[in-house]
Amino acid sequence: MRDVYLLGVGMTKFGKYPEIPIEHLGRNAVFEAIKDANINPVEIESAYCGHAFQGSTAGQRVLVELGLTGFPITNLENACASGSTAFREAFYAVASGRNDISLAIGIENLSNKFKGALGPDETDLEAKMGLTMPALYAMRAKRYMYEFGLKKEHLASISVKNHKNALENDRAMFGAKITINEVLKSKMIADPLHKYDCNPVSDGASAALLVSKKVAKQVGGRPIKVLASALTSGKYEPGFINMTFEDITNRCALSAYKTAGVGPEDIDFAEVHDCFTIAEILRVEGIGFCNPGEMISWIEEGKTEINGYKPINPSGGLIGKGHPLGATGVAQMFEIARQLRNEAGDRQINNPRIGLAHCRGGAVAGTEGAACAVHILMKE
Amino acid sequence: MTKLKLVKERNGNYVLNGNKCKVCNIVFFPKKEVCISCFSSNNLEEFGLENIGILHTYTIVHRSFPQFNTPYTIGYVDLLNSGVRVFAPIKDSAPDSLNIGDEMKIIFETDEKGQVNYYFVRKVE
């Protein structure tokens, strides 16, 4: 396997764009990534496009807008982890020696397709009986409260943090100065989760260029080394799945740490899949930053704030930035690159060296989740 | 796709329709055609699940898919003998007073299309 570098990133501002075709959102993100990488676009040798609901061959429809055609383009679906899955495929295209330059794209336009809560696939037994995604996480939150004494206020302070971080991010949909009280007074979605505990329905696109060492050296710039790309699926376990500790996240992170040769103690910050406030807690514990239940004191001590011990979701996360499913995983790379290059402006973490991106997607009855990806990246 | 048959009749009563691998001693609900442990389809036998369990967690849903009337309550109940966690709606006149650990009962109900559905109630209300 060869070393792989993240050379360029691009993303649209996330928001609600029911009128903008997905092809245009995708085009804008890819265009920015190419400019950011400073490569000649005709040198792109393959592309991988992640999305959940954008129809057949969406990647080709995006790339034809820029005349980027005539090379292999593959479309990937892994629910909310579709973008991370595309990133991983582009990574392997370069790591395997097949390509020197590969493009990962994440796209989604949800606002012209859905209203209200999203659920597992409509054929899913539990979805048919009324299990929405917010309801699933609400039940995990209730269980966490029961086991560890978590309070609604702890959840709300994650929402406050992520909205605040988003305020400093010009690509975020939902930057806001809100208080714990405002979170608790927002509309109830599924007890104990309020509206501001949930990510907003959003649209957007993101892109990343992955290159070989040879290309990274030729182009110069500020390449970032991808130390590990891990992907896994939820295990079908008959019996009683632990709903407050994420086996899928933990297995994925351990595999990434092993490949990267680093541990949680070496990671300076992380973008994690905070589809709901409780999810941020489960992810941070799942990637081994702290022990089960310990996030309660971490929240109280401000350890996950931008200037804290382990900043979590400096971009604003899914809650503050928005969550256009397929675009999310690649947009996490945008933030990792911005932070590692010290380009994050007012939300800049103090000179980070290693960042981690965690993204997971989907619900399949009988398992703990459908897909989970963890990537670890390092500034050289 | 064949429609899952989640409920079956046993001695005039309804039960959840699972199956069990005789060799591995694992109960599946919904039924599996292949045991995930020994990977054989020859050792599976019919198994009706018990209708009493413990509430593992629950929520009151206020925003849902368009076809659902809100609010409604749902939860996971652990059937300790079978070793199976079952998801279903909960019918309760005071869902705010439900507690994790409550003993729950599965109730079966035939709808206007003749389909048998199930939900949970508190065992002692």
Side-chain angles (χ1 to χ4, degrees), chain A residues 296-378:
Chain A
I296 294 174
S297 64
W298 274 41
I299 292 165
E300 289 168 355
E301 292 159 21
K303 283 189 173 170
T304 60
E305 302 280 339
I306 279 183
N307 56 4
Y309 165 65
K310 292 268 189 204
I312 302 295
N313 287 324
S315 71
L318 281 58
I319 287 173
K321 191 169 58 188
H323 177 33
L325 316 182
T328 287
V330 184
Q332 290 180 328
M333 302 307 171
F334 182 94
E335 181 66 12
I336 302 261
R338 281 279 193 270
Q339 291 287 351
L340 292 180
R341 295 171 180 170
N342 286 311
E343 288 175 352
D346 288 338
R347 66 177 194 285
Q348 181 64 50
I349 296 161
N350 183 25
N351 201 26
R353 195 171 74 92
I354 302 181
L356 179 149
H358 162 280
C359 192
R360 62 163 280 179
V364 174
T367 76
E368 207 212 330
C372 182
V374 171
H375 287 91
I376 299 174
L377 296 95
M378 183 180 77

Side-chain angles (χ1 to χ4, degrees), chain A residues 115-120 123 125-136 138-144 146-147 187-193 236-244 365, chain B residues 1 3-4 6 26-30 32 36 55-68 72 74-80 82-89 96 100-101 118:
Chain A
K115 280 199 172 69
L118 284 182
T123 62
L125 170 64
E126 296 181 345
K128 274 194 212 161
M129 296 174 90
L131 184 67
T132 64
M133 284 293 182
L136 176 61
M139 288 195 283
R140 300 181 73 182
K142 274 239 190 242
R143 185 72 203 181
Y144 195 107
Y146 173 82
E147 288 180 17
K187 212 176 342 175
M188 185 64 92
I189 303 294
D191 179 44
L193 302 180
Y236 174 85
E237 304 262 20
F240 308 135
I241 290 174
N242 184 341
M243 292 182 78
T244 59
Chain B
M1 199 179 89
K3 203 157 179 288
L4 285 172
L6 298 171
I26 304 172
V27 177
F28 301 102
F29 175 77
K32 288 244 182 260
I36 64 145
L55 185 61
H56 184 71
T57 186
Y58 70 99
T59 183
I60 303 166
V61 181
H62 293 263
R63 292 265 293 161
S64 186
F65 311 124
Q67 66 271 32
F68 283 85
Y72 60 87
I74 53 177
Y76 283 106
V77 168
D78 289 350
L79 308 185
L80 300 180
S82 309
V84 171
R85 180 172 294 159
V86 179
F87 173 84
D96 282 322
I100 287 174
Y118 54 92

